[in-house]
Amino acid sequence: MPQGRFLALTPRRGFTIIAILCFLSLLYLLACRPQSSRRQGRTPSLLTGPVNEEGYQAMLQEHTEKHQHYINSLAKQISQLKEALQERSQQLQKTLEKSAVAFPLELEELGGKSHADLEQFFQKQLSQAEVLSGAKLSSEYALVPFESFTLQRVYQLETGLTRFPVERPVRKDRRDELSETLDTALQILNAPQYKDSPQDRRAYSPRDFIEGIYRMEKDKGTLYDLIFRGNSSQDFRRLVFFRPFGPLMKVKNELVDTSNMIINIILPLAKSVDKFRHFMHNFREVCIRQDGRVHLTVVYFGTEQMDDVRKVLDSTARKMHYRNFTLIHLNEEFSRGRGLDVGARAWKWGNALLFFCDVDVRFSAEFLDSCRLNTEPGKRVFYPVVFSQYNPDIIYSQQTSIPPVEQQLVIRKDTGFWRDFGFGLTCQYRSDFINIGGFDLNMKGWGREDLYLYRKYLHSNLMVVRSPSRGLFHLWHEKHCADELAPETFKMCMESKAMNEASHSQMGKLFSQQEIENHKKQQKTKTKTK
């Protein structure tokens, strides 16, 4: 009986064991299926029904393709990481080379720290470019002018299609170039070995940067001249760099003390007493209150209104307790060149810095610093490019009133232009002016004596620094061209007169004003008809 019961239970136990084995197999298949199948919710074909040999081959091919795709993806990522690592290594190497160049690469050390061919190339570029000394030029067209810049703006003569006399925001490639030069200058200024003394522990920052000028000679390289504030209001740091299509090279690092640099402003004048009063208002504010190292020499032609001019000077002397004035009277026909020449030669107290000026000019204290820093006796003369104001009656014709002169001194393409063809405003030392021969005194009235003096300097060994000046403005005034001028000079005078009135777009509006009004009337008529 027990044996029969055992035999009866045997099939039942077999079925139970088989069921357990099937269940375990099912769990194994569920646990071991691919991750992609789990994510996508696909059920293996083993659970959906019987699978033949072709089905298994298809499944195997699918898994092989997925794994191959994964391998390729990993290989691509590894390749990208290798490229990124190589690029970062190159950048690090360049940074190390740059930091090594920023300090030790100086002109006197170049031979011992570079290859012979590189040294020869640098020396060739330096000898050909105007870096440490001037070069004789054939004409005014051969001079490469500088562009001036601050931390926020670049003041440019080549305005291109935009015709903007000032660039802001600065173009990225130009910004990167100037930023690199400025960073290198700050590294040098803050390096311990470049301090004047152990007590000089001042840390220079971009806020100490005042202004810089730069120019590129296409076949030689780029010259940078940077000015930083010194330890006092009359001390400045100048750093000169040259990039001869290679590493940035430090040419000069010097402390410039301007405390004893007296500027003698030479002002030729005839009548124009009202303009002279406005000029003296600017002189009192800038030259007396702010600067204090300026002498004014007025060369007056004729006798009419002579007493009025003297009264203006005497009034300024009493109110400001300032007597650094000289009044020279010439009872003859007005000649700007003659007046400047007489005023320059009248100075008898050493080698003063001369600023040839006009009564219609406004300048700032920053310009006076630029005048001092961009000139050097026997080496450099400064020919700033003045920003010339358009006719205020045209510029502000849409406003109810013309703003004060101080509010008109802004650099925009609709307010004025860089007078790059004018050479009358200049800073130069008296010794250089005497040695070069001064002005051609045969020129009378509105002549070309300024250009002739400019050409003399171009033909000499002095460096001519010419760049736009953000602190120098020429106020608009109506220009009269005398009938007795020579035809060529009269033509130049008329061209200058036309350019002084308004911008190209403003002149176009004036020329087309009647056509614009007629179009408005037509449009109004059509609107009423509809």
Side-chain angles (χ1 to χ4, degrees):
M1 194 67 178
Q3 185 178 2
R5 185 180 299 172
F6 176 77
L7 293 174
L9 292 174
T10 299
R12 194 176 298 173
R13 288 177 180 176
F15 284 120
T16 302
I17 293 171
I18 292 173
I20 292 173
L21 291 174
C22 291
F23 181 72
L24 292 174
S25 299
L26 177 61
L27 290 177
Y28 175 77
L29 291 173
L30 289 174
C32 297
R33 65 178 176 173
Q35 294 294 328
S36 59
S37 298
R38 295 180 187 179
R39 287 193 299 265
Q40 297 175 6
R42 292 184 299 183
T43 304
S45 56
L46 288 173
L47 300 179
T48 59
V51 180
N52 53 20
E53 184 178 356
E54 295 179 356
Y56 283 114
Q57 290 180 351
M59 290 175 58
L60 183 61
Q61 181 67 24
E62 181 182 358
H63 288 303
T64 302
E65 292 177 354
K66 289 178 181 177
H67 286 296
Q68 186 63 41
H69 177 73
Y70 183 63
I71 292 171
N72 294 338
S73 177
L74 289 176
K76 184 178 180 180
Q77 293 180 27
I78 292 172
S79 177
Q80 292 175 348
L81 288 173
K82 286 183 178 180
E83 292 178 359
L85 180 61
Q86 184 179 5
E87 182 179 355
R88 295 293 293 179
S89 299
Q90 292 176 353
Q91 291 178 356
L92 179 60
Q93 182 66 25
K94 289 181 180 179
T95 302
L96 293 175
E97 293 175 356
K98 175 183 173 182
S99 61
V101 167
F103 295 102
L105 184 55
E106 302 188 22
L107 295 184
E108 62 272 14
E109 301 177 359
L110 195 59
K113 297 198 174 185
S114 58
H115 298 292
D117 54 348
L118 187 60
E119 176 191 354
Q120 183 179 3
F121 172 74
F122 286 167
Q123 294 294 347
K124 178 181 177 182
Q125 297 300 96
L126 285 167
S127 62
Q128 292 179 349
E130 283 189 292
V131 178
L132 295 174
S133 61
K136 295 183 179 181
L137 303 176
S138 57
S139 70
E140 61 272 21
Y141 302 103
L143 178 78
V144 179
F146 287 85
E147 293 188 348
S148 60
F149 66 97
T150 62
L151 289 177
Q152 293 83 21
R153 295 176 174 86
V154 172
Y155 300 87
Q156 54 190 7
L157 295 179
E158 299 294 335
T159 56
L161 294 175
T162 62
R163 303 192 67 81
F164 287 125
V166 56
E167 183 181 3
R168 182 187 183 191
V170 183
R171 207 175 61 211
K172 184 180 183 305
D173 57 340
R174 196 198 308 266
R175 182 173 66 249
D176 294 343
E177 173 192 353
L178 298 178
S179 296
E180 178 191 357
T181 308
L182 182 60
D183 290 343
T184 304
L186 289 173
Q187 291 177 20
I188 293 175
L189 290 174
N190 290 319
Q193 63 267 35
Y194 287 97
K195 298 292 184 181
D196 292 332
S197 63
Q199 292 77 23
D200 185 11
R201 300 185 180 277
R202 176 185 176 186
Y204 287 85
S205 70
R207 288 177 297 180
D208 297 311
F209 175 65
I210 298 176
E211 187 179 30
I213 58 175
Y214 76 99
R215 69 177 177 187
M216 185 187 73
E217 298 181 58
K218 295 181 179 179
D219 58 339
K220 300 177 182 67
T222 305
L223 174 64
Y224 308 88
D225 196 330
L226 311 183
I227 301 297
F228 293 83
R229 292 183 180 88
N231 295 323
S232 69
S233 60
Q234 298 176 2
D235 290 341
F236 300 88
R237 272 286 184 187
R238 158 179 279 148
L239 285 93
V240 179
F241 295 94
F242 183 64
R243 190 195 301 275
F245 302 115
L248 191 66
M249 301 172 57
K250 182 177 72 65
V251 178
K252 185 183 296 185
N253 176 14
E254 63 181 358
L255 176 65
V256 182
D257 182 6
T258 63
S259 58
N260 296 321
M261 294 184 182
I262 304 298
I263 297 180
N264 183 15
I265 299 180
I266 313 297
L267 181 68
L269 189 66
K271 301 179 183 179
S272 306
V273 177
D274 291 336
K275 292 182 180 179
F276 182 65
R277 290 192 180 97
H278 290 295
F279 177 88
M280 289 304 298
H281 173 77
N282 181 71
F283 183 89
R284 288 192 294 269
E285 181 62 31
V286 173
C287 299
I288 300 179
R289 289 194 175 97
Q290 299 182 34
D291 192 272
R293 293 160 290 160
V294 177
H295 185 93
L296 177 63
T297 299
V298 179
V299 182
Y300 194 84
F301 289 83
T303 57
E304 187 178 354
Q305 299 181 346
M306 172 72 179
D307 292 337
D308 295 331
V309 171
R310 194 186 304 276
K311 289 179 182 177
V312 173
L313 292 176
D314 292 340
S315 175
T316 301
R318 288 193 307 272
K319 292 180 180 178
M320 306 301 298
H321 304 287
Y322 196 86
R323 297 188 177 279
N324 290 334
F325 306 112
T326 299
L327 178 60
I328 301 175
H329 178 222
L330 298 178
N331 191 15
E332 55 188 74
E333 183 183 357
F334 176 80
S335 170
R336 185 176 186 273
R338 163 78 170 154
L340 294 173
D341 196 272
V342 170
R345 297 178 187 274
W347 180 266
K348 304 299 182 183
W349 299 277
N351 189 21
L353 175 58
L354 308 177
F355 172 39
F356 295 156
C357 192
D358 285 331
V359 72
D360 299 303
V361 168
R362 294 291 181 272
F363 51 85
S364 65
E366 290 77 16
F367 168 75
L368 296 179
D369 289 333
S370 297
C371 184
R372 295 183 176 100
L373 294 168
N374 286 310
T375 52
E376 189 174 355
K379 294 184 177 180
R380 291 157 59 109
V381 294
F382 183 38
Y383 272 83
V385 181
V386 61
F387 192 76
S388 189
Q389 183 188 41
Y390 287 136
N391 188 344
D393 292 334
I394 298 178
I395 298 174
Y396 305 103
S397 59
Q398 302 299 324
Q399 300 184 17
T400 56
S401 62
I402 298 177
V405 172
E406 291 74 17
Q407 298 180 17
Q408 299 178 27
L409 305 181
V410 292
I411 300 176
R412 295 199 309 264
K413 70 174 183 178
D414 58 337
T415 61
F417 64 99
W418 294 117
R419 189 185 286 268
D420 57 345
F421 56 85
F423 308 99
L425 306 177
T426 172
C427 297
Q428 53 195 265
Y429 275 88
R430 183 178 181 274
S431 59
D432 295 326
F433 178 77
I434 299 298
N435 292 335
I436 207 72
F439 285 102
D440 182 358
L441 300 182
N442 294 322
M443 305 295 296
K444 301 295 182 182
W446 195 95
R448 304 178 66 185
E449 72 282 354
D450 300 332
L451 177 58
Y452 289 159
L453 178 64
Y454 181 66
R455 286 175 177 173
K456 285 183 180 180
Y457 282 116
L458 294 179
H459 298 161
S460 72
N461 291 321
L462 276 70
M463 179 185 293
V464 178
V465 179
R466 182 156 176 80
S467 69
S469 178
R470 58 192 173 96
L472 190 62
F473 293 86
H474 183 273
L475 303 183
W476 180 88
H477 61 87
E478 189 173 358
K479 184 179 291 291
H480 299 280
C481 300
D483 294 335
E484 59 269 17
L485 293 175
E488 184 179 1
T489 306
F490 185 82
K491 178 183 177 182
M492 290 178 59
C493 181
M494 292 301 295
E495 290 175 352
S496 176
K497 180 178 180 180
M499 292 188 64
N500 284 345
E501 292 299 318
S503 66
H504 186 94
S505 59
Q506 290 168 331
M507 292 293 286
K509 290 179 182 179
L510 291 176
F511 181 79
S512 306
Q513 188 64 37
Q514 187 61 45
E515 187 175 350
I516 294 173
E517 294 296 330
N518 293 337
H519 181 266
K520 287 182 180 180
K521 292 179 182 179
Q522 293 176 2
Q523 293 299 317
K524 288 182 179 179
T525 303
K526 290 181 180 180
T527 303
K528 291 180 180 180
T529 304
K530 291 181 180 180

